[in-house]
Every structure is written in structure tokens, then in C-alpha cells.
Amino acid sequence: MLSVQNLSKSYGLNSVFKQITFSLNQGERAALVGPNGSGKSTLMNIIAGLEIPDAGSVSLTPADLRIGYLQQGISFVEGETIGEFLNHFSIDIQHALSDLEKVCDALVDTPQDPDLIVRYDKTLRDLNRAQQMEGTRLDILAGFELVDIPSQTPIAELSGGQKVRLALAGVLLDAPQLLLLDEPTNHLDLAMREWLRDWVLGYQGAILLISHDRAFLDAVIHKVIAFSPAGEGVDEYHGNYSDYLDAREAAFAIARQDYVDQQEEIKRLKKAARSVRDNAKSHKGGKADPKNTDGFSAGFFKDHSLETIRRAKQIEKRVDFLEGEGALEKPAHTWEMRMKFGETPESGQIALSTERLSIGYDGEALLPPITQTVTHGQRVALVGPNGVGKTTFFKTLLGEVAPLSGSFHFGSGVQPGYLSQEQEMLAPALTVLDTIHSRSDLANHTDARRFLHRFLFKGDEVFQTVDTLSFGQRSRLMLALLVAQHCNLLLLDEPLNHLDLESQEAFESALSTFEGTILAIAHDRYFIDRFAQIIWEFSEEGIRTDFSQEMIANIMRD
């Protein structure tokens, strides 16, 4: 169905990837795995025909295979409504029937006309697709909870999650045979992720998937296609994501032991070479000296001394090989972001309090008034369906949206820091280095570059402008800003979106040592399970907080 052969791609002097080769068969579901910036989205663009590779080829079977592509950076036509967008993915059954009738009439007169035969086949396929889509259209829209949103609603008014669901619906409505999904679960709430998981499991075509949702990957994929750390080629692992992690760790353990064994062998050989040379030196003079002994003894020891030196040279030659051409590289877990929060400013015991705080737009409240108190050091996960007010709550706290009524107060000494899901806080024209300089106290050039290196911005990457970064790189930059600003209250809006899985682990580890208070909007089961002490469940009825640890565990299992 899909065959990728020896693909390579560069931008200027920057090589993105080399010699990528793999295939995907009917019914297979594979995940592309690799660090942010390794070229996963670029590879997807090439397969979809949106970019041209420098070398290699992409083959589809059949040649007119329908591809559905959900890109990571979703964009819509400005001013477009939901109805206008969905109309792009509908086929008029009556129009298809009319076309088929015209082609059939023409074939009666010229039944062997090859152009008419091709047109007949295409019209028949269009009609079949239209009939299939008519049956599945309502199911897809209902599954993504889009049926009850008025079709004349401007897309710009939708939440981030609703936009993703609409784009996904458009892709699925096109009845593709090969699905390319780049971060499909970003911004989707838990219920939507479960619906998408079930839909994917029932899909009959092939799927190539980029996702950093570990539970979703474990549930749906058959194999992992992992980018090589060296940027050349890929490795394939059969099974789900957890199977891949186990196989990778096993291979790492073997490589590490091989490296240790080689280092021990080098030490042993060097010691042996020194010992052999010392033995050769000990025969100079003494009984081997022709002035002090007979000629036979002198010749005997001289011959053995030469043989000993030859043995030493052979050993040293072996050492040179093991330290040069035959050297094993010391294995290391690459791509790890080294994120660590420094000391947080002191604050009072109360981090945040709200008193009958009503939030919403144009006088329309999204949920009943909020009265809550967050104390210093608490970890609160905000869960609930998209569009219910979680992000609006954060924006109200930050002064971006005015409260409809009620009040809120940050505690004494509280310094909030915000990580937004839309990445709109970054200036596209600024470089990575300028971004850090402009919004932190890292004025020294060397200190700033050293700091950015911890977030995997190496070498000339710090001079890239934000608009040239991948979405994952932008997420890492936003995390760098968050650390550099020394906040003691973190407002995190879907912080794992776009982060590769290794960076997610580093981020979660850093959060576990953070000394301040955290409120996080999250839909990732693993993250909530590891992070949350308290859950606020947002709904149209209000915020529910009376969850026991057992109930939290049940929420994660359901």
C-alpha cells in the first residue's frame, strides 16, 4: 500500500533525515517515533505530496490511493463556518447519479472508448463513496460531538479541541484508504480520545501515526518506526509502544555491556603489552651480554627478546584497532531534555482563591460560579470536555478575559507562569536566543546558550526564528521560558501537546521536584495518574472536586 525507499531531505545545509526506508500494508497501524525536529512531520508532508524529497521515492498501491492527512498545524480559511468546511467533504449523490447516467449513455454509442471507461469507473467510485459517506457522516459528527453546533458557527469561535475534532471529521469524511495522522489527540479530551481510539481500531485501511499519547499508542498500533539518533535510517519494532520501549531498553543494556566489556579488554591488553615489553627489557645485558657469557647464550636471549617485542607490538596493534576503527561508541539515552526548576520565590500559604467567579464571553457564563481555594504546593488537574471553560478560567486569572462577576485573588508573593496550548505567546519573527533574552534575566549570551542547550537547542539552532521551528521545538522553548521566569504558580494548558515522549518524561520529572503550586489542564491519562493530587472536573453543572484517590484511579481506568 505504501512503500518509502531511501528518502532523504535537507533544508540548505541542515540535513533533516537520510535513507528512510519502510513499508506499510493494508490494515497496518504504525507509529513514527523520534525527537522533536527529527523530521517526522516533514516525512508525512512528503508522503502526502506536499513536499519533495532530495532523494528517494514514495510509492502508493494503487497509484490513485486516497490519502487522508491530519496535519499538526491545523489551519482553516479565515471566516469559514463549520457548514462551509464540511461541505468540502461531501459528494452530491444526485449529481453522481446524473454523471453516471451520462457516461452510461455515451458508452452505449462507443463502448470501447478508453476515456469513457476510466470516467465510468471514477463516477461509479464517487457514487459508492457518496452512499458510504451518507451512512457514516452522522456517526462521525456525532462521535466528535459536532452535530449540535450550528453549522453557521464561525470556526474561529471554536475551542482548540473543537477545531481538532472538526479537522479530524473532515479527514475521516473523505473516506481515505491511507490515514496520515500527525498528533491527532492534541487538544482532545478523554472522551474524544476514547472515541477516536475505537474508530481507529475499526478502521480497515492503513494508518501512519505521530502521537505522544502513550495510552493511545499502546491501544492502537501494530509497530513502531523509530528514527535513528544519528539521523540516518529507521528501525522497526513490532508490537505497541510499551513493547518498543522494552525492546529499546534491552538493546541499550546489551550495547552498554558490550561497551564495558570492550573497555575492560582494552585495559587488559594494555597491561599485557606493558608486561611483555618489560620482559623484553629485562634480557638486555646480564647473561645475554656476549662479554659476560658464551655466544650461544647471547644469541638465545637476543632471539627471544625480539620475539617478545613482536608479541607486544601485536597486542598494541589490537589495542589501536579497538580504540580506533573497531571502537564501540559509549551508549547513551539521546534526545533527553534536561529540565530542572530552580528555587521558587517564597509565597503565602494560599496560592489562589476564587469567590463566586463567573467566567465566559459576551455575558454568557460557561458554567456556574467558581468558589475554590488552592494552597501552596498543591497539584491540581483540570479535566472535562472541550469548550466547557478550562482555558477560559486560566485566561481570566491572567487578565486576558474579564470575569463576568465575582472575584479571584492570588496569594502573597505568588508569581504565576502560563504555558498556553496554542503557542500564541511566542513571537514568530524572533530567534530562539532573542526570545529567551527578551523574557528572562538571562542577558549574558553564553549563559543563555548554555541554558537553551538543556532544552535541546544546540549550535546554530538558537539562531532559528520561531516560525521555522517544529511545534515540538516551540513547546520546548515555551518550557524554557517557564523555567527561566522563576514562577511559583504554574498554569499549564495541555503541557504535553507536541512534546516528544522523552521530553514528556523529563518534564514530568521536573514537575515532581517543583516546589511551587501547579494547575494543569490535561487529557493524558499517564500524566494525570502520575501528577494529580486533586482533580477538578469541569462540566456545565460546575466544578466537582470531591474525588478520593480511589475515584481518581477509577477515572484513569475508565
Side-chain angles (χ1 to χ4, degrees), residues 304-322:
H304 277 258
S305 178
L306 291 174
E307 177 64 28
T308 303
I309 290 173
R310 277 195 295 270
R311 284 178 53 206
K313 287 183 176 179
Q314 287 175 345
I315 295 172
E316 289 165 349
K317 187 176 181 180
R318 174 63 179 168
V319 171
D320 289 342
F321 172 78
L322 293 179

Side-chain angles (χ1 to χ4, degrees), residues 273-348:
R274 285 195 301 269
S275 177
V276 170
R277 282 193 175 276
D278 288 343
N279 287 336
K281 290 177 183 178
S282 68
H283 292 303
K284 291 183 178 180
K287 292 184 178 180
D289 187 346
K291 296 179 180 179
N292 299 321
T293 187
D294 58 87
F296 170 79
S297 296
F300 176 83
F301 284 112
K302 180 181 180 182
D303 291 343
H304 277 258
S305 178
L306 291 174
E307 177 64 28
T308 303
I309 290 173
R310 277 195 295 270
R311 284 178 53 206
K313 287 183 176 179
Q314 287 175 345
I315 295 172
E316 289 165 349
K317 187 176 181 180
R318 174 63 179 168
V319 171
D320 289 342
F321 172 78
L322 293 179
E323 290 186 327
E325 183 182 344
L328 296 176
E329 187 175 343
K330 185 177 181 179
H333 287 297
T334 57
W335 308 333
E336 285 191 7
M337 182 175 66
R338 300 186 301 278
M339 180 178 178
K340 183 180 179 181
F341 289 97
E343 291 186 9
T344 58
E346 292 186 4
S347 65

Side-chain angles (χ1 to χ4, degrees), residues 14 41 46 59 215 222 228 258 293-294 333 339 375-376 412 426 459:
N14 180 31
S41 295
I46 291 172
S59 300
H222 297 132
S228 166
D258 287 345
T293 187
D294 58 87
H333 287 297
M339 180 178 178
T375 59
H376 174 75
S412 173
L426 298 175

Side-chain angles (χ1 to χ4, degrees), residues 108 344 366 518 549:
V108 171
T344 58
L366 293 171
I518 306 172
Q549 289 299 316

Side-chain angles (χ1 to χ4, degrees), residues 497-516:
N497 280 357
H498 309 297
L499 286 180
D500 61 62
L501 291 155
E502 287 79 7
S503 295
Q504 287 185 20
E505 293 286 342
F507 175 60
E508 291 170 3
S509 177
L511 284 186
S512 69
T513 63
F514 179 66
E515 296 176 351

Side-chain angles (χ1 to χ4, degrees), residues 12-143:
L13 298 177
N14 180 31
S15 175
V16 182
F17 52 71
K18 299 177 182 177
Q19 300 295 314
I20 303 295
T21 296
F22 66 90
S23 61
L24 199 60
N25 299 318
Q26 174 78 26
E28 277 192 313
R29 299 186 293 270
L32 282 178
V33 171
N36 296 135
S38 62
K40 300 187 297 295
S41 295
T42 300
L43 178 59
M44 288 280 215
N45 286 339
I46 291 172
I47 294 172
L50 302 180
E51 293 192 50
I52 300 174
D54 298 330
S57 62
V58 174
S59 300
L60 301 174
T61 306
D64 61 348
L65 186 80
R66 287 193 310 281
I67 296 178
Y69 184 21
L70 179 76
Q71 294 179 269
Q72 188 174 169
I74 298 170
S75 61
F76 297 94
V77 176
E78 187 174 351
E80 192 171 36
T81 66
I82 291 177
E84 289 168 342
F85 173 78
L86 292 175
N87 284 339
H88 298 317
F89 306 96
S90 63
I91 298 175
D92 190 324
I93 292 180
Q94 293 304 318
H95 182 71
L97 284 170
S98 176
D99 279 354
L100 185 62
E101 184 178 353
K102 291 176 183 177
V103 175
C104 289
D105 289 342
L107 280 172
V108 171
D109 297 329
T110 54
Q112 302 304 320
D113 187 326
D115 291 336
L116 283 177
I117 292 172
V118 170
R119 184 180 165 192
Y120 172 81
D121 288 340
K122 181 182 182 304
T123 306
L124 194 59
R125 287 198 302 270
D126 287 346
L127 179 60
N128 288 333
R129 281 179 60 202
Q131 292 170 334
Q132 292 171 3
M133 287 170 63
E134 194 66 25
T136 60
R137 180 183 179 94
L138 188 60
D139 289 340
I140 290 173
L141 295 179

